[in-house]
């Protein structure tokens, strides 16, 4: 283990889980990640390995066949996985958010039906809020569901589904106006539907089409897709929690833990960038000595290591706050904002240390350089995080004059 990004106060079980994941990353992910990423190939063998480790059920309660672990344990595992290849952490993240939403908000029948199979990784989750015409402005969504007897009919187009093709369960947020008088706040007329589908692309069930993978700059391997609903019929018992109008709050609860996840990804990618930078700096020679002995490079390494350490500490704090049962939107927003910004900066400094070789696809840092920007926008942009942080600070420090 490295000196940086240590987490004090872990139980023996937590230490064993994180150590097992780190070994898996070193042996099974890092050696193949760059080649798979360049081919934009889904890492099926890695995913099978994660299923064997039980990671798809890490936070699912033991009564449903999961490991019943904390958000902190999960975040530390995500940090390790993202250190190996960030796309792999994306494969389990949306699954984890849907499982968390089911655990927190699902009916007893929904939990018993989905969670045991999700714990095994046999049912894999994705979740869908964004639409082509909007991103962070969730309250402006236009996809809708209309009640028709014991079913709802869903219509609309969603965007940016991680695992849109490989998943077989999607939590979809749409507008439902039933029982809401005119003038009701937009976020109070939204409902989350649990949509089951076949994995793959094209029409994956009547009225539901997954057109294909979106070609991206980075974050490859994992499939990112659109989702088109045209007369998609969903039984009323597949409304998350059994009642309409609560979808916005359910999704925001999921996104809150998702932001801890994105912070953990930023920490993992930054750690890997630091490892690559500090290693290369000791191997590359200029002017008769390793570049690590030049003061300018030592300054870079010092700044990089400090950012890795600070981001990790904030991520751990946000996870522990949520685990304690407290509201953590302030801490999660801060951690996500800081970790993603610092990740970008640490990756760029490692890229600069590599010089011309950083621009070569033969070197791992080239991949990290394309992956880091996704963290600046995933689970809410930096600007959205600052809005959340600012509003919460004004609540906490309300002027009493």
């Amino acid at each position: 283990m490295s000196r940086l990004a240590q987490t004090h106060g872990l139980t023996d079980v937590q230490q064993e889980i994180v150590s097992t994941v780190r070994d898996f990353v070193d042996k099974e992910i890092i050696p193949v990640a760059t080649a798979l990423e360049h081919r934009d190939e889904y890492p099926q063998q890695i995913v099978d390995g994660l299923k064997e480790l039980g990671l798809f059920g890490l936070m699912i309660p033991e009564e449903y066949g999961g490991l019943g672990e904390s958000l902190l344990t999960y975040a530390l595992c995500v940090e390790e996985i993202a250190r190996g290849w960030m796309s792999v952490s994306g494969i389990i993240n949306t699954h984890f958010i849907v499982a968390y939403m089911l655990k927190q908000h699902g009916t007893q029948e929904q939990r018993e039906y989905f969670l045991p199979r999700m714990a095994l990784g046999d049912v894999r989750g994705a979740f869908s809020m964004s639409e082509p015409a909007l991103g962070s402005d969730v309250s402006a969504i236009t996809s809708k569901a209309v009640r028709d007897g014991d079913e709802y009919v869903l219509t609309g187009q969603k965007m940016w589904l991680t695992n849109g093709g490989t998943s077989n369960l999607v939590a979809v947020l749409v507008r439902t106006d039933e029982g809401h008088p005119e003038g009701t706040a937009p976020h109070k007329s939204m409902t989350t539907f649990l949509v089951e589908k076949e994995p793959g692309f094209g029409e994956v069930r009547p009225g539901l089409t997954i057109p294909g993978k979106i070609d991206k700059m980075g974050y490859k391997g994992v499939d990112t897709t659109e989702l088109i609903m045209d007369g998609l019929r969903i039984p009323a018992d597949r409304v998350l929690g059994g009642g309409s109008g609560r979808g916005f709050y359910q999704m925001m609860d999921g996104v809150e833990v998702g932001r801890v996840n994105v912070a953990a990804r930023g920490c993992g990618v930054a750690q890997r960038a630091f490892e690559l930078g500090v290693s290369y700096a000791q191997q590359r020679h200029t002017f008769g000595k390793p570049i690590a002995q030049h003061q300018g490079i030592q300054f870079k390494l010092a700044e990089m290591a400090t950012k890795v350490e600070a981001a990790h500490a904030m991520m751990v704090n946000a996870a522990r706050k949520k685990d304690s049962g407290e509201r953590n939107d302030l801490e999660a927003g801060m951690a996500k904002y800081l970790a993603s910004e610092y990740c970008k900066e640490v990756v760029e400094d490692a890229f600069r240390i590599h010089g011309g070789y950083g621009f070569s696809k033969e070197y791992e840092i080239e991949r990290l350089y394309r992956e880091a920007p996704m963290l600046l926008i995933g689970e809410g942009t930096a600007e959205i995080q600052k809005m959340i942080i600012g509003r919460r600070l004004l609540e906490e420090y309300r002027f009493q004059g």
Side-chain angles (χ1 to χ4, degrees):
M1 292 289 271
S2 68
R3 170 72 181 269
L4 295 179
Q6 296 299 296
T7 312
H8 299 290
L10 298 180
T11 66
D12 290 345
V13 171
Q14 287 176 312
Q15 289 177 7
E16 185 179 347
I17 290 172
V18 174
S19 177
T20 300
V21 172
R22 189 179 186 90
D23 287 345
F24 180 83
V25 168
D26 286 339
K27 292 172 185 169
E28 306 295 335
I29 298 183
I30 288 176
V32 300
T34 295
L36 288 171
E37 199 270 351
H38 286 165
R39 296 197 299 269
D40 197 6
E41 182 177 325
Y42 188 78
Q44 188 60 57
Q45 197 169 338
I46 292 171
V47 171
D48 291 342
L50 295 177
K51 285 173 70 172
E52 286 182 29
L53 291 178
L55 282 194
F56 283 99
L58 192 61
M59 273 192 73
I60 293 174
E62 291 180 10
E63 65 189 284
Y64 299 111
L67 297 177
E69 269 297 331
S70 64
L71 178 60
L72 175 62
T73 310
Y74 178 79
L76 294 175
C77 290
V78 166
E79 183 178 42
E80 296 295 347
I81 291 168
R83 177 181 150 268
W85 183 14
M86 192 183 74
S87 293
V88 178
S89 64
I91 290 168
I92 59 172
N93 177 42
T94 53
H95 173 88
F96 150 72
I97 290 177
V98 176
Y100 173 84
M101 289 167 62
L102 273 162
K103 181 185 78 167
Q104 294 296 108
H105 306 289
T107 64
Q108 187 61 31
E109 184 273 332
Q110 289 167 353
R111 290 197 294 266
E112 290 174 356
Y113 181 75
F114 288 112
L115 288 179
R117 291 181 297 147
M118 293 185 81
L120 295 171
D122 294 338
V123 167
R124 303 258 292 285
F127 83 118
S128 177
M129 292 191 298
S130 291
E131 296 183 0
L134 60 96
S136 299
D137 186 9
V138 178
S139 64
I141 66 172
T142 59
S143 297
K144 64 181 181 180
V146 177
R147 185 84 186 230
D148 182 20
D150 291 334
E151 295 181 316
Y152 286 83
V153 181
L154 278 60
T155 307
Q157 187 174 357
K158 309 298 278 186
M159 193 71 176
W160 306 120
L161 271 82
T162 301
N163 297 322
T166 46
S167 61
N168 41 16
L169 172 65
V170 187
V172 182
L173 185 67
V174 300
R175 191 170 299 288
T176 47
D177 293 325
E178 55 172 346
H180 303 294
E182 198 153 330
T184 299
H187 64 279
K188 292 185 178 178
S189 61
M190 293 186 188
T191 301
T192 304
F193 285 86
L194 300 168
V195 177
E196 296 173 84
K197 69 174 188 67
E198 289 297 317
F201 301 99
E203 189 171 22
V204 291
R205 70 175 278 177
L208 179 64
T209 300
I210 306 291
K213 289 167 63 171
I214 297 167
D215 196 17
K216 309 182 296 285
M217 174 177 78
Y219 198 39
K220 294 178 180 289
V222 59
D223 52 292
T224 306
T225 72
E226 297 174 74
L227 178 147
I228 299 169
M229 301 173 289
D230 185 10
L232 171 64
R233 303 187 77 88
I234 301 294
D237 64 5
R238 286 297 170 257
V239 170
L240 180 63
S244 65
R246 298 200 293 266
F248 182 82
Y249 302 103
Q250 294 163 346
M251 281 280 180
M252 289 305 105
D253 189 27
V255 167
E256 206 169 275
V257 292
R259 284 181 177 141
V260 175
N261 173 289
V262 173
R265 289 199 228 182
C267 292
V269 174
Q271 282 179 45
R272 186 60 183 161
F274 174 78
E275 290 171 8
L276 295 171
V278 75
S279 174
Y280 185 81
Q282 294 171 78
Q283 297 171 55
R284 175 73 167 174
H285 285 68
T286 63
F287 305 105
K289 58 184 177 182
I291 62 172
Q293 292 182 19
H294 295 295
Q295 190 179 58
I297 299 297
Q298 288 180 12
F299 283 179
K300 274 195 192 309
L301 295 172
E303 290 165 4
M304 292 160 70
T306 302
K307 289 171 181 175
V308 165
E309 192 76 354
H312 176 83
M314 288 196 76
M315 179 272 290
V316 167
N317 180 57
R320 282 185 161 144
K321 188 104 176 179
K322 187 77 171 178
D323 283 333
S324 71
E326 297 178 73
R327 184 177 176 183
N328 86 329
D329 54 345
L330 176 66
E331 291 77 11
M334 286 181 165
K336 191 272 171 184
Y337 167 56
L338 188 89
S340 58
E341 294 290 338
Y342 274 1
C343 174
K344 172 189 66 105
E345 293 169 13
V346 171
V347 167
E348 182 161 321
D349 277 340
F351 175 83
R352 290 171 186 264
I353 286 170
H354 280 75
Y357 288 107
F359 216 61
S360 165
K361 283 185 175 286
E362 290 182 37
Y363 282 73
E364 193 179 335
I365 192 63
E366 179 270 344
R367 169 169 63 83
L368 302 188
Y369 195 78
R370 288 183 291 102
E371 289 178 339
M374 199 286 288
L375 298 171
L376 300 172
I377 52 176
E379 308 288 8
T381 63
E383 289 71 25
I384 289 292
Q385 306 309 321
K386 286 189 271 190
M387 278 173 52
I388 293 167
I389 293 164
R391 287 172 184 166
R392 287 288 285 118
L393 289 173
L394 289 171
E395 284 178 29
E396 295 285 342
Y397 294 88
R398 186 173 286 115
F399 179 59
Q400 301 296 327

